[in-house]
């Protein structure tokens, strides 16, 4: 623990950010050499793990027995939408060994900052105090301990932050022009191009109060207690990011409140500086390694550039030379590209959560041609870098907590097998980009029961992406009552996977977990799989010509680094075997040479001795074939099982081979 952290934890949380004596020139945990070496894991603290370790493991073959008798599915859905489930920071710390075994190198921790006590904003995006941890998650000391323990285990930590808006810390006064209130019982102010003149702060129970007198009132720190810090423009259209107004800092989607949360007026002098200083405090206190920046699209490019530049410079002064900043830019991937271009070196990467995430899902399930996914890289390489360095500029997502594009349901819902998710993860891990797994992916969580059962807003509501992996019996009580530890709502079931309660699903023997852990292990051993150039390979099926294949066939691509070629082969069909002849680089992997199997997910998923084809260490010959007057060098793969993967390498040292064989 740093001297600054020890000093700050010995005191009450700061009341004014201006008075925090931020350190500089101290020794902090360094940044990685290259963020492409990392595998991220995004978790929502409320839904990941609590501190109990006495619940039994969920038996997927007897799932009905883990559901409460007479389960009311609407109550289950209500629990997931409106209540805290009880996950904590210390709960996440208790599962670091699990994440290490999976091969995770960086945790992206959902927001843990203090929320309004009377609201059930378990997601953490409605901040009431920018200098404290929400007590339902734990304490500042718990967060410092999580980062320190993670660093000790070789895992970095990225915090999720918000500087576009605060929580619903004040109310518009009576008489404000209102929109339909959607039966919420609260006035929703109609959007205006000007600013409403008055606001009313909220007390600890959410009622209007004229003065902020205690920690639960209004907003903290004190620097944010001026009405001029907020646009006060009401609630308008958040999705109006058209090409013609993407560069307009006064666009409606940038001035409106974010749902019931309150938009900051970042053009007001010092607002942006105070927000940046709040997050500098969290860097110094926790020794974290980066930030995921929420709602970046909703601030202007200049404001984003200035904020990110301030954070980058401060982190560098603490020895964090590449403090990772990844932005959430909702909407089309073109919007994300625009922010990368505008913010330059001040922003490491953006999240790929637009149409490319949907394409990744469909290609992995054999529903869309591989070329549709790989063309994304080809189309962007000229703008953002070469075919190898492009991977530094975006974070790939298969599932996340929002699904801003497409239906709000996990990849594994309706999957063909208990490990089809591995096909999607493999495409993330071994194509360009920094891969990010979403909590529960490694357990093939489905977001809901096998049948829809008439669940409210099925495929339309975020709750179906956010099961609680630890299997709480009941959620916390609602509102202020839920702030008391152990005060649960016995009328609602916990929001465990598929309606289960009282059972956790941290299963290190799950077929998906075993396969993903092995893929992560191999990714560490071979730099070519992280940093190599990338080429989608033609292949021939059933004696046909070498060509790019459509949906549901083998997907093959090479990663090339110097003279090393690794050939990644994935069966995208979820139910049938696939095979074919695959083109390789004849200058690096010529006919007469051999390629060594370094990954076989069938073998990784096998609990006992593996007796199937293509065992790790097997050497496959490269041979020449004639096609339309030209000669091609190919590797032939027989019947690869559904949703399984092989990786072959043309250069494997004896030492590497020992490591490979020792891990199987």
């Amino acid at each position: 623990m740093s001297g600054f952290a020890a000093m700050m934890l010995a005191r009450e949380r700061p009341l004014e950010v201006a008075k925090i004596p931020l350190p500089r020139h101290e020794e902090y945990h360094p940044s990685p050499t290259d963020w492409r070496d990392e595998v991220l894991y995004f978790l929502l603290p409320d839904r990941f793990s609590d501190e109990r370790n006495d619940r039994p493991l969920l038996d997927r073959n007897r799932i009905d027995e883990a559901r409460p008798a007479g389960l009311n599915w609407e109550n289950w859905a209500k629990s997931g939408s409106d209540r805290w489930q009880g996950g904590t920071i210390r709960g996440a710390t208790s599962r670091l060994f699990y994440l290490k075994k999976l091969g995770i190198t960086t945790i992206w921790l959902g927001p843990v900052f203090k929320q309004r006590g009377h609201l059930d904003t378990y997601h953490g995006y409605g901040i009431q105090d920018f200098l404290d941890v929400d007590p339902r998650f734990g304490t500042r000391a718990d967060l410092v301990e999580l980062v320190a323990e993670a660093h000790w285990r070789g895992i970095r930590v990225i915090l999720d932050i918000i500087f576009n808006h605060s929580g619903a810390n004040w109310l518009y006064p009576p008489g404000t022009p209102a929109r339909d209130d959607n039966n919420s019982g609260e006035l929703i102010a109609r959007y205006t191009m000007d600013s409403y003149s008055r606001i009313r702060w909220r007390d600890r129970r959410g009622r209007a109060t004229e003065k902020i007198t205690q920690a639960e009132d209004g907003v903290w720190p004190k620097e944010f207690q001026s009405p001029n810090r907020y646009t006060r423009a009401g609630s308008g259209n958040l999705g109006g990011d058209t090409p013609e107004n993407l560069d307009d800092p006064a666009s409606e989607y940038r001035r409106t409140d974010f749902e019931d949360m309150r938009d900051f007026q970042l053009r007001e002098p010092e607002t942006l500086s105070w927000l940046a200083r709040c997050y500098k405090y969290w860097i110094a206190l926790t020794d974290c390694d980066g930030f995921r920046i929420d709602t970046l699209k909703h601030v202007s490019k200049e404001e984003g550039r200035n904020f990110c530049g301030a954070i980058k410079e401060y982190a560098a002064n603490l020895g964090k030379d590449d403090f990772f900043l990844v932005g959430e830019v909702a909407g089309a991937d073109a919007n994300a590209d625009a922010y990368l271009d505008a913010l330059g070196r001040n922003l490491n990467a953006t999240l790929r959560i637009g149409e490319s995430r949907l394409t990744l899902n469909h290609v992995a399930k054999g529903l869309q041609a591989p070329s549709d996914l790989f063309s994304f890289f080809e189309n962007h390489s000229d703008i953002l870098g070469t075919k190898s360095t492009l991977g530094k500029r975006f974070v790939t997502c298969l599932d996340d907590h929002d699904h801003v594009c497409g239906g709000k349901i996990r990849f594994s819902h309706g999957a063909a097998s208990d490990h089809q998710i591995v096909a999607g993860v493999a495409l993330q891990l071994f194509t360009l980009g920094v891969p990010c797994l979403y909590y529960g992916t490694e357990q093939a969580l489905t977001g809901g029961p096998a049948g829809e059962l008439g669940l409210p807003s099925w495929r339309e509501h975020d709750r179906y992406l956010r099961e609680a992996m630890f299997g709480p019996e009941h959620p916390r009580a609602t509102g202020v009552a839920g702030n008391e530890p152990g005060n649960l709502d016995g009328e609602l079931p916990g929001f465990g996977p598929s309606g289960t309660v009282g059972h956790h699903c941290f299963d290190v023997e799950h077929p998906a977990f075993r396969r993903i852990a092995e893929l992560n292990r191999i990714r560490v051993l071979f730099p070519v799989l992280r940093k190599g150039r990338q080429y989608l390979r033609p292949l021939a099926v059933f004696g046909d010509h070498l060509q790019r294949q459509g949906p549901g066939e083998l997907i093959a691509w090479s990663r090339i680094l110097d003279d090393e070629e690794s050939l990644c082969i994935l069966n995208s069909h979820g139910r049938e075997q696939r095979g074919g002849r695959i083109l390789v680089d004849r200058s690096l992997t010529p006919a007469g040479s051999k390629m060594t199997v370094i990954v076989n997910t069938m073998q990784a998923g096998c609990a006992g001795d593996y007796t199937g084809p293509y065992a790790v260490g097997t050497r496959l010959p490269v041979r020449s074939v004639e096609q339309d007057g030209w000669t091609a060098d190919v590797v032939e793969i027989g019947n690869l099982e559904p949703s399984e993967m092989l990786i072959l390498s043309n250069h494997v040292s004896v030492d590497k081979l020992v490591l490979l064989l020792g891990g199987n």
Side-chain angles (χ1 to χ4, degrees):
M1 181 187 298
S2 70
F4 175 78
M7 175 184 67
M8 296 308 296
L9 293 179
R11 308 174 179 177
E12 296 294 323
R13 68 95 169 87
L15 300 179
E16 299 176 59
V17 68
K19 294 184 178 180
I20 298 175
L22 291 176
R24 66 190 73 211
H25 308 155
E26 292 190 11
E27 185 175 346
Y28 278 74
H29 196 69
S31 303
T33 304
D34 192 328
W35 281 95
R36 290 175 296 177
D37 294 338
E38 305 297 305
V39 177
L40 278 56
Y41 185 95
F42 173 34
L43 65 90
L44 290 173
D46 181 59
R47 302 297 167 94
F48 183 61
S49 183
D50 65 2
E51 298 155 51
R52 288 179 51 181
N53 59 11
D54 58 344
R55 295 187 185 94
L57 178 66
L58 179 63
D59 185 342
R60 307 298 179 90
N61 296 316
R62 305 172 67 179
I63 199 164
D64 287 341
E65 297 177 16
R67 291 172 176 150
L71 173 63
N72 183 310
W73 286 101
E74 288 195 6
N75 282 345
W76 175 78
K78 180 180 180 181
S79 176
S81 172
D82 301 329
R83 298 298 176 83
W84 296 71
Q85 298 297 316
T88 63
I89 295 169
R90 295 183 70 179
T93 303
S94 73
R95 297 295 179 181
L96 287 174
F97 74 94
Y98 167 88
L99 297 177
K100 184 70 174 179
K101 188 174 183 66
L102 182 60
I104 299 304
T105 65
T106 299
I107 296 169
W108 157 12
L109 187 70
V112 295
F113 309 111
K114 189 178 179 186
Q115 307 289 290
R116 291 214 60 79
H118 76 285
L119 296 179
D120 295 314
T121 50
Y122 69 87
H123 48 70
Y125 290 99
I127 302 175
Q128 188 260 339
D129 190 333
F130 284 78
L131 297 179
D132 206 0
V133 166
D134 194 287
R136 288 164 288 198
F137 290 137
T139 66
R140 292 177 298 149
D142 291 339
L143 185 58
V144 171
E145 180 184 2
L146 168 63
V147 177
E149 180 73 11
H151 285 169
W152 182 78
R153 293 179 180 270
I155 298 174
R156 302 180 193 276
V157 178
I158 293 172
L159 301 182
D160 204 321
I161 68 165
I162 307 98
F163 77 99
N164 170 68
H165 57 265
S166 75
N169 298 314
W170 50 265
L171 298 164
Y172 290 94
T176 303
R179 296 172 51 192
D180 294 337
D181 67 0
N182 298 320
N183 299 315
S184 68
E186 244 176 52
L187 179 149
I188 298 178
R190 185 181 299 132
Y191 179 77
T192 175
M193 289 299 295
D194 300 313
S195 296
Y196 291 108
S197 58
R198 294 184 58 243
I199 67 173
R200 299 179 300 161
W201 297 110
R202 301 180 97 158
D203 68 9
R204 64 186 296 267
R205 295 188 178 277
R207 301 167 301 195
T209 183
E210 294 303 317
K211 293 183 179 180
I212 297 174
T213 60
Q214 57 181 327
E216 303 294 334
D217 294 343
V219 65
W220 295 87
K222 288 183 179 180
E223 286 84 355
F224 301 145
Q225 293 176 3
S226 166
N228 291 333
R229 297 288 177 215
Y230 307 91
T231 56
R232 293 167 285 142
S235 180
N237 180 12
L238 286 166
D241 50 334
T242 59
E244 57 268 21
N245 69 16
L246 197 60
D247 293 321
D248 181 3
S251 295
E252 180 174 334
Y253 74 94
R254 288 196 170 117
R255 295 187 70 251
T256 178
D257 289 337
F258 199 88
E259 298 178 351
D260 67 337
M261 293 173 272
R262 304 308 188 204
D263 188 65
F264 278 121
Q265 175 55 281
L266 298 179
R267 288 181 287 176
E268 176 73 11
E270 296 188 316
T271 302
L272 194 64
S273 297
W274 293 137
L275 283 162
R277 190 171 178 85
C278 286
Y279 292 117
K280 292 176 186 178
Y281 162 75
W282 287 109
I283 297 172
L285 183 73
T286 67
D287 198 13
C288 63
D289 303 283
F291 291 152
R292 179 267 190 185
I293 305 173
D294 184 62
T295 53
L296 187 58
K297 179 187 75 172
H298 297 281
V299 305
S300 73
K301 294 177 182 177
E302 180 182 5
E303 291 158 353
R305 184 164 49 245
N306 291 341
F307 177 84
C308 292
I311 295 298
K312 280 278 193 182
E313 289 188 6
Y314 180 72
N317 220 359
L318 297 180
K320 296 178 181 290
D321 294 331
D322 193 13
F323 190 80
F324 196 61
L325 295 181
V326 54
E328 181 221 20
V329 183
D333 288 329
N335 292 346
D337 294 339
Y339 267 78
L340 276 175
D341 183 53
L343 273 61
R345 293 179 180 272
N346 289 345
L347 185 68
N348 288 71
T350 55
L351 296 171
R352 288 296 153 174
I353 53 177
E355 64 271 20
S356 61
R357 187 193 66 80
L358 289 177
T359 300
L360 173 62
N361 273 257
H362 294 159
V363 171
K365 288 186 173 179
L367 303 175
Q368 196 168 341
S371 57
D372 292 345
L373 177 64
F374 283 80
S375 64
F376 163 77
F377 306 110
E378 295 166 1
N379 292 339
H380 290 72
S381 61
D382 290 338
I383 300 172
L384 298 176
T386 68
K387 282 180 170 18
S388 58
T389 59
L390 172 64
K392 294 182 177 183
R393 303 296 281 155
F394 54 85
V395 172
T396 60
C397 301
L398 189 67
D399 278 325
D400 64 23
H401 64 319
D402 284 333
H403 281 201
V404 293
C405 287
K408 294 181 182 291
I409 199 69
R410 284 179 178 262
F411 178 100
S412 288
H413 188 83
S417 69
D418 57 9
H419 65 271
Q420 190 178 33
I421 186 73
V422 177
V425 173
L427 283 168
Q428 286 186 272
L429 291 176
F430 302 118
T431 57
L432 298 177
V434 180
C436 180
L437 278 64
Y438 183 49
Y439 83 97
T441 289
E442 74 284 359
Q443 298 295 330
L445 295 189
T446 61
E452 297 180 12
L453 302 176
L455 292 172
S457 303
W458 180 249
R459 296 182 180 269
E460 298 175 358
H461 198 284
D462 296 337
R463 76 189 104 193
Y464 300 114
L465 304 167
R466 304 176 181 181
E467 309 104 309
M469 285 184 68
F470 57 98
E473 288 80 0
H474 301 284
R476 285 178 177 261
T478 189
V480 175
N483 294 328
E484 296 298 324
N487 195 358
L488 306 181
D489 185 343
E491 299 298 315
L492 293 179
F495 195 61
S498 297
T500 61
V501 299
H503 295 72
H504 75 81
C505 53
F506 295 95
D507 184 3
V508 297
E509 298 299 328
H510 189 278
F513 185 101
R514 291 176 61 92
R515 287 167 167 83
I516 293 171
E518 179 63 7
L519 295 180
N520 284 332
R521 185 177 78 91
I522 299 306
R523 192 175 185 271
V524 171
L525 294 177
F526 290 85
V528 62
L529 295 172
R530 311 187 303 272
K531 300 174 182 177
R533 290 171 282 132
Q534 172 179 292
Y535 302 94
L536 181 63
R537 290 304 190 193
L539 59 97
V541 178
F542 302 122
D544 200 353
H545 285 66
L546 289 164
Q547 58 188 324
R548 289 191 171 187
Q549 298 294 324
E553 298 295 339
L554 289 184
I555 306 172
W557 67 100
S558 288
R559 299 296 300 270
I560 293 176
L561 189 65
D562 190 28
D563 65 343
E564 188 170 347
E565 178 176 18
S566 284
L567 183 63
C568 304
I569 307 163
L570 174 68
N571 181 0
S572 68
H573 202 291
R575 301 187 184 280
E576 299 176 4
Q577 296 177 336
R578 287 292 185 264
R581 298 197 310 269
I582 304 164
L583 183 72
V584 295
D585 189 313
R586 68 181 319 182
S587 66
L588 301 177
T589 314
S593 64
K594 292 186 177 181
M595 300 194 82
T596 304
V597 177
I598 60 173
V599 162
N600 180 336
T601 55
M602 293 180 289
Q603 185 172 355
C606 183
D609 293 335
Y610 179 71
T611 58
Y614 307 117
V616 171
T618 301
R619 291 172 57 77
L620 302 180
V622 179
R623 63 187 184 88
S624 294
V625 297
E626 297 295 325
Q627 176 172 310
D628 298 331
W630 62 281
T631 302
D633 291 346
V634 299
V635 169
E636 186 166 316
I637 298 298
N639 291 325
L640 185 59
E641 294 296 322
S643 301
E644 300 287 12
M645 184 180 203
L646 300 174
I647 301 181
L648 317 179
S649 177
N650 66 345
H651 291 299
V652 180
S653 67
V654 173
D655 289 343
K656 281 282 177 65
L657 190 59
V658 169
L659 285 173
L660 293 173
L661 296 176
N664 286 278

